[in-house]
Amino acid sequence: MDVSRNSMLGELAGDAASERNDFVVQATEQLARFLDRNRDRISQLGGLTLIDDDPDYLSIAPDCSFRVRSRFEDPDTGEWVSETEIVETASELVELYNTAEVFAAFAEASREAAGMGEEPTATDELLATAGISPEETFGLNEDAAYIGAADEWAAGQPVVAEADDDESAAAAMYNLALDFQERSQANEARIIGQFEDAVARLSGTLGDLIIVDDEDERLVLGVTGRLRAEVLPEEAENGEWRSLTEPEDIVEFYDPTDIFGDLADALAEAFPSVAPDIEGEPIDEDGEDDDEVQPEADPGMAAPEDEPRP
């Protein structure tokens, strides 16, 4: 095997692993800050059930520890087993759940607890909710650059409303969860963009790399270093596929942690010599390693959710 090719593949795999670690660290810090700001509210509310879709279950206790229920197939008996475990830290939860999904769950649970209606999504609905008529809107003038800079700064400051009872605490937490959900997805898109810039010089030599290729999705790292995907959403009419070419679109369906991990796994499976073995030593050039546990077919190739991520 060409040594230079192995070297480039090793750099690509290492870069993907590094980006994944960086994303996990940033996501952990973001979730930890959110929990610290809302610790008193969560305690007053007595905790919240965030997700309760059998078998998926996630709740937060008054002390800000999480309860997670997972379902898996017992390799010995072949039976499906459900387990509930306590997750005490944000870093542990980030390894199990995408932070955008966690913030969305906080928003939904808080909304339901407060008896609030569905969140408006379209522009007209938002204006109506705010009590603003279309005639009262206006366009930006030549000072738009300065206004935009001020708006960008203001958007970076979380607005924490005062709360004096359960309902106001739930409403305040709901707004914060939506705020941080949006920030989390923007952060994910930014990390994907950074990875694409970093990997561009390697992709030109390796060509297109298929990360996932299933009947309802296809994710590829292109020759230019850009990620692109085609997915078949569950709600798609007439089996219409959706193309994803921008980071902002990709994070609707894919968790960057999974993308980088799946890419590294795909490279390691196709070129075993680029990945370290269990002892941390490079595998021989012939790709053989008596102590290595052979992966199953398509390791880590998790399909995207049937519906876009919140």
Side-chain angles (χ1 to χ4, degrees):
M1 185 177 294
D2 185 9
V3 176
S4 62
R5 181 179 177 83
N6 284 347
S7 177
M8 287 185 292
L9 287 168
E11 290 182 16
L12 182 59
D15 198 11
S18 176
E19 290 291 349
R20 178 189 183 280
N21 291 337
D22 183 56
F23 171 77
V24 169
V25 169
Q26 293 186 46
T28 298
E29 292 176 349
Q30 188 176 34
L31 180 57
R33 289 195 299 269
F34 173 79
L35 294 175
D36 287 342
R37 279 197 302 273
N38 289 280
R39 190 171 299 275
D40 291 341
R41 293 190 179 96
I42 294 171
S43 178
Q44 291 178 29
L45 291 169
L48 282 172
T49 298
L50 304 176
I51 300 174
D52 192 5
D53 298 325
D54 188 40
D56 194 15
Y57 176 85
L58 175 65
S59 65
I60 185 168
D63 63 355
C64 284
S65 62
F66 294 89
R67 303 297 184 272
V68 177
R69 183 173 64 216
S70 59
R71 187 168 181 260
F72 62 91
E73 185 177 5
D74 190 314
D76 297 326
T77 65
E79 297 180 353
W80 287 93
V81 180
S82 295
E83 285 189 354
T84 301
E85 60 179 319
I86 298 176
V87 176
E88 297 183 349
T89 64
S91 60
E92 293 179 86
L93 191 69
V94 167
E95 291 289 347
L96 300 175
Y97 283 89
N98 175 25
T99 49
E101 295 173 351
V102 174
F103 291 133
F106 266 107
E108 181 67 15
S110 301
R111 182 190 64 77
E112 291 182 358
M116 301 169 65
E118 294 185 3
E119 181 195 11
T121 55
T123 301
D124 292 342
E125 293 175 350
L126 291 172
L127 290 175
T129 301
I132 301 175
S133 65
E135 291 75 15
E136 294 179 274
T137 62
F138 57 89
L140 298 178
N141 55 24
E142 61 274 8
D143 295 327
Y146 299 100
I147 297 174
D151 289 343
E152 183 177 353
W153 178 88
Q157 312 305 310
V159 178
V160 182
E162 296 296 331
D164 52 15
D165 54 30
D166 289 355
E167 184 171 348
S168 60
M173 187 185 299
Y174 170 78
N175 291 327
L176 278 174
L178 288 179
D179 181 17
F180 276 83
Q181 178 194 15
E182 182 178 349
R183 295 184 188 206
S184 180
Q185 289 184 332
N187 184 51
E188 292 174 3
R190 183 168 56 253
I191 285 183
I192 287 180
Q194 292 172 350
F195 173 74
E196 290 177 335
D197 292 340
V199 83
R201 67 183 183 90
L202 302 173
S203 297
T205 302
L206 295 177
D208 286 354
L209 291 173
I210 298 176
I211 302 175
V212 180
D213 189 7
D214 292 334
E215 60 181 15
D216 58 352
E217 63 165 329
R218 181 180 175 87
L219 176 63
V220 176
L221 178 62
V223 67
T224 61
R226 298 291 299 275
L227 287 163
R228 65 178 187 273
E230 292 180 338
V231 296
L232 183 61
E234 187 178 64
E235 74 280 5
E237 297 181 0
N238 302 321
E240 183 177 354
W241 286 71
R242 178 177 173 184
S243 296
L244 313 173
T245 57
E246 299 297 328
E248 293 78 8
D249 299 325
I250 291 174
V251 298
E252 291 184 31
F253 290 84
Y254 290 91
D255 183 342
T257 304
D258 294 334
I259 292 177
F260 301 137
D262 289 349
L263 175 58
D265 288 344
L267 289 167
E269 181 183 14
F271 305 93
S273 61
V274 307
D277 63 10
I278 296 177
E279 301 297 328
E281 298 294 334
I283 298 174
D284 294 338
E285 283 291 328
D286 58 7
E288 297 180 356
D289 186 351
D290 294 338
D291 296 330
E292 182 183 7
V293 178
Q294 296 299 323
E296 298 177 357
D298 296 329
M301 299 299 184
E305 301 170 5
D306 291 336
E307 298 182 356
R309 296 166 58 206

